[in-house]
Every structure is written in C-alpha cells, then in structure tokens.
Amino acid sequence: MKAGIVGLPNVGKSTLFNCLSNAKAQSANFPFCTIEPNVGVVNVPDPRLTQLSDLVNPERVVPATVEIVDIAGLVKGASKGEGLGNQFLANIRETDAILHVLRCFDNDNIVHVDGGVDPIRDKETIDIELQLKDLETVEKKLEKVKRAAKTGNKEAQKELSVLTEIHTTLEKGESVRSMIWSGDDHDNFVKPLQLITDKPVMYVCNVDENSAVSGNGYVDKVREAVKNEDAEVLVLAVGVEADINELDDFDERQLFLEDLGLEEAGAAKLIRSAYKLLKQQTYFTAGKKEVRAWTVPIGASAPQAAGVIHTDFEHGFIRAEVISFDDFTHFGSEAKVKEAGKMRVEGKAYTVKDGDVVHFLFNV
C-alpha cells in the first residue's frame, strides 16, 4: 500500500519524506526539486511489537511497513500538462491515499510559488487540478457508456447514472470522496476508474516550531475549510522534525521533544495515521525465530490474513489459533495462555482483529 505526499512546490514535501523514510531526498529552495518520485518503505511505530518481543525474545523482529512516495510539486495548469503536471498526476494515480502538505508558516527566506502564504488557496489550487483531471477521465468513460446505454443495456444505464452524478459533483468543484454511495455502485463503477479525488486524504499542516503543539491561525482556517470532508488534519513542524531526525541518541530526541511540549515525534503520528488512512490493521505472529507484524485490510478474514504470509496458507487454510494481544501480554507466553484456556480456535469465517496474535494451520 502506498501513500503519496503531494502539495505545491516548496511547502516541505521532500523534507517530510526525509523525516519519514531517512532516505535523504534532495530538498532545496526552488520548485520541481523532486523530479522522479522518491519511494521510501517506512516502519509503522507499534509499541505492541516491542512488548511481544520482550516476552518471546525472538531471533529477529519485523515491523509492519507503509510505502511513502514523494511526488513532484504541482502548479496551476497541471491538468493541462503545465510544469510537471502529467507526470505528477500519473504518479499520484498509482498511490492508495494522499498526504496533502499545506504550508502554514511564515518565512521570508523560503519562496512561495504563488507569492504569499495562504494554505486555503494552495489547497484549492491542487483540488481544482485533480478534479479537472478526474473530469477528463469521467468524460472519456461517459462517451463509451452512453452508446451502450442507448441499446437498453441495464448495467450500462446504471453506470451512466453513476458517472453523470460524478461529473456533476466534479463540475461543482467537489471531490469524489465526498460522495455517498449505495449498494455496490462504488466497487462496480467508481473504483475501476482510479479517480484521484476518490482517494482518502490527510492534510498535513506544516507549521513553525512555536506552533508545533497547538497549531496557529493558518491551521484553524484549514480545519474550517475541510470540516465537511472525511479527512484528518495533522499539525507537524516539518523543519523541527528534520532536526530531531538528525539526532542519533534516543534520549537526546526525547529531550528535544519535551522542550517543544511534544510526547512523541510527529512523524510517528503521521505514519500511524497514514496506516489507518489506508484502512490497514496489524496482526502478529510470535515465535522464537521471529516476532512479526503483518499488514491486512480492516475486515480481512482469517484465510485472507494467512494469505499475506504465503498464498499456500490461504488455499490450504484449516483453522487459526488466536490469542488477543491483551491476553498474551497478561499471561506472558503462549503456553500460559493455553493453560488459562484463552486461546481460541477460529475457522474460515473469522474476521481478524487488530492486535491478534495468530498461528495458522494449513494443508497443501
């Protein structure tokens, strides 16, 4: 699963990417610094993994991960190919969620592509370009579906109705993610289009050091502007996060955070939030060789979760032995959980819960 970092040039995208991935993407004070999308595989911070590791003492520990993509900055006219528009839009179409970085700080030494700081204007600039690109996609599809609908094809007529509704929404300057769907309309007709404005979004307000804890007036405006969207707003002092990231000593990092009034690095919050934005959850396997966090979609069945380890596990699934995380940490070991009668045996219909510790039995 990929989350793409997007925004206008010079809002802090590459600096944020560096904080998250330690990949050191080039960061400079001019537009289009990022030409090719940088991809970083980021560990999802999860204290539960550490707790399990302390109890089991395995040979190795493997965390869950999310791919973060740093995409070239977008400018007005991108939907028509201005700047690096076509490349930007192709890259963002390949991601599963959007991390939209908005500049919410004043600094005369960092140029703004539009001349002044205004996160609402910046948000609207990108929203419009993405909506225009989606309109182009929908209009092409409408031409084909209209012909099929005229023949009396019921499925085509249903699709025509859905596409027309999407077209109207986009023309009003609203994103597809704001729409409410009935039945299987989204899965059948919307999802295959891979519309950019249908992707879930998180707004990352890049603030100065003094605003790292509670935000500022710019952040308040962003929260007001997106209150009707199904979106999270995260406040992050990206420049400060970059400074913290340069410190090798954990205690030094913690002192830095405490001085700022923060309990943990904002980058850790963002990674966890991105994980949720992607509608993912974690289950664990715990043995002497390895304690590992596995990523599955929320709502995954036991066989589907087994298939993440290996496709043979899914095809030959027999049953799952499941321990809740709380029970495992309370009793301290798998053997003691069994003695207490707290291990459950679940079949194919079981829906895996976040934090489950699971052992799969299968036959191939």
Side-chain angles (χ1 to χ4, degrees), residues 187-207:
D187 288 346
N188 293 339
F189 306 124
V190 186
K191 197 172 181 179
L193 294 173
Q194 289 187 295
L195 298 174
I196 302 171
T197 67
D198 188 40
K199 298 178 187 296
V201 64
M202 180 196 307
Y203 295 101
V204 182
C205 293
N206 183 10
V207 300

Side-chain angles (χ1 to χ4, degrees), residues 47-58 61 286-288 291 324-334 336-337 357:
R48 297 175 300 181
L49 193 64
T50 304
Q51 289 178 258
L52 288 174
S53 175
D54 290 343
L55 291 170
V56 177
N57 193 27
V61 178
K288 283 296 179 184
V291 167
S324 74
F325 174 80
D326 288 343
D327 283 341
F328 199 108
T329 51
H330 175 72
F331 291 101
S333 71
E334 182 177 315
K336 289 180 180 177
V337 170
V357 182

Side-chain angles (χ1 to χ4, degrees), residues 313 316-321 359-363:
F313 283 31
F317 179 89
I318 298 173
R319 65 181 182 272
E321 295 176 346
H359 175 67
F360 295 106
L361 284 84
F362 67 100
N363 184 23

Side-chain angles (χ1 to χ4, degrees), residues 28-270:
N29 187 22
F30 56 87
F32 308 131
C33 178
T34 306
I35 305 301
E36 294 297 328
N38 294 289
V39 180
V41 178
V42 183
N43 293 341
V44 179
D46 194 333
R48 297 175 300 181
L49 193 64
T50 304
Q51 289 178 258
L52 288 174
S53 175
D54 290 343
L55 291 170
V56 177
N57 193 27
E59 292 175 17
R60 66 172 187 162
V61 178
V62 183
T65 59
V66 172
E67 281 193 23
I68 303 291
V69 187
D70 177 25
I71 298 169
L74 177 123
V75 294
K76 290 177 183 175
S79 59
K80 304 299 182 186
E82 291 293 325
L84 298 173
N86 288 330
Q87 183 172 327
F88 171 97
L89 294 163
N91 291 334
I92 194 59
R93 195 182 295 280
E94 294 173 3
T95 65
D96 303 292
I98 297 172
L99 307 178
H100 187 160
V101 182
L102 295 168
R103 178 172 169 176
C104 295
F105 67 90
D106 294 304
N107 188 331
D108 293 338
N109 294 321
I110 300 177
V111 298
H112 191 289
V113 70
D114 286 331
V117 179
D118 186 342
I120 307 307
R121 177 204 58 212
D122 295 353
K123 173 188 177 302
E124 290 173 351
T125 295
I126 286 192
D127 283 350
I128 289 168
E129 296 304 327
L130 300 186
Q131 289 159 5
L132 286 171
K133 199 64 181 178
D134 279 352
L135 262 176
E136 185 182 304
T137 301
V138 171
E139 285 171 354
K140 286 179 182 176
K141 185 68 174 178
L142 270 170
E143 289 178 18
K144 297 178 182 178
V145 174
K146 281 177 181 176
R147 290 195 292 270
K150 285 179 180 177
T151 66
N153 183 306
K154 297 292 185 185
E155 188 74 0
Q157 289 175 348
K158 178 62 176 173
E159 185 173 9
L160 178 61
S161 174
V162 171
L163 291 173
T164 302
E165 190 178 347
I166 293 172
H167 192 274
T168 301
T169 297
L170 291 168
E171 279 196 320
K172 289 192 296 185
E174 298 174 7
S175 296
V176 177
R177 75 178 70 88
S178 66
M179 301 177 69
I180 298 171
W181 305 103
S182 59
D184 297 325
D185 287 353
H186 185 272
D187 288 346
N188 293 339
F189 306 124
V190 186
K191 197 172 181 179
L193 294 173
Q194 289 187 295
L195 298 174
I196 302 171
T197 67
D198 188 40
K199 298 178 187 296
V201 64
M202 180 196 307
Y203 295 101
V204 182
C205 293
N206 183 10
V207 300
D208 57 78
E209 180 177 329
N210 294 329
S211 306
V213 176
S214 55
N216 54 31
Y218 291 130
V219 175
D220 293 340
K221 288 179 180 178
V222 172
R223 288 193 173 116
E224 179 64 23
V226 306
K227 64 182 181 182
N228 294 324
E229 293 187 37
D230 184 18
E232 184 177 349
V233 176
L234 191 72
V235 177
L236 207 63
V238 175
V240 175
E241 293 284 334
D243 292 338
I244 294 173
N245 210 43
E246 293 295 324
L247 299 173
D248 294 325
D249 186 87
F250 176 79
D251 291 334
E252 281 188 60
R253 289 189 181 197
Q254 289 304 115
L255 284 172
F256 200 143
L257 289 168
E258 286 173 14
D259 286 344
L260 292 170
L262 298 171
E263 293 181 4
E264 66 172 341
K269 288 182 183 177
L270 190 147

